[in-house]
């Protein structure tokens, strides 16, 4: 149904390939999410292992975001 505005999509299986590209964000708060939260938890673990300090998993994922009436975009 869409994604959170200004979010960057990196599939769980592609995180390792993008670590160099996002390395500058190691001290920046990052929120990971998926449909319901389970893959988000795996992404969080990968990022923390790579040295990212402020990583959080969106509880309930995009489904919970949408159910709360928060906006999604298709752009």
């Amino acid at each position: 149904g869409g994604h959170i505005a200004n979010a960057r999509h990196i599939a769980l299986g592609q995180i390792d390939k993008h670590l160099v590209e996002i390395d500058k964000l190691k001290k920046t708060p990052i929120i990971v999410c998926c449909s319901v939260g389970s893959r988000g938890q795996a992404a969080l673990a990968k990022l923390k292992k790579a040295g990212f300090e402020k990583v959080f998993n969106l509880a309930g994922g995009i489904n919970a975001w949408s159910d709360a009436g928060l906006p999604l975009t298709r752009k």
Side-chain angles (χ1 to χ4, degrees), residues 45-70:
K46 279 185 173 239
L47 291 171
K48 283 195 170 199
K49 185 175 180 181
F52 288 78
E53 298 175 7
K54 299 176 184 177
V55 186
F56 307 93
N57 187 20
L58 180 63
I62 291 289
N63 289 347
W65 179 276
S66 180
D67 290 347
L70 297 168

Side-chain angles (χ1 to χ4, degrees), residues 6-59:
N6 300 315
R8 174 139 183 220
H9 180 261
I10 300 175
L12 178 59
Q14 300 292 314
I15 288 177
D16 293 333
K17 293 180 182 178
H18 290 275
L19 286 176
V20 172
E21 184 181 322
I22 62 173
D23 187 67
K24 64 184 175 246
L25 302 173
K26 280 191 172 177
K27 295 182 186 244
T28 303
I30 296 174
I31 300 171
V32 296
C33 62
C34 64
S35 294
V36 296
S38 56
R39 286 180 309 227
Q41 192 62 37
L44 179 140
K46 279 185 173 239
L47 291 171
K48 283 195 170 199
K49 185 175 180 181
F52 288 78
E53 298 175 7
K54 299 176 184 177
V55 186
F56 307 93
N57 187 20
L58 180 63

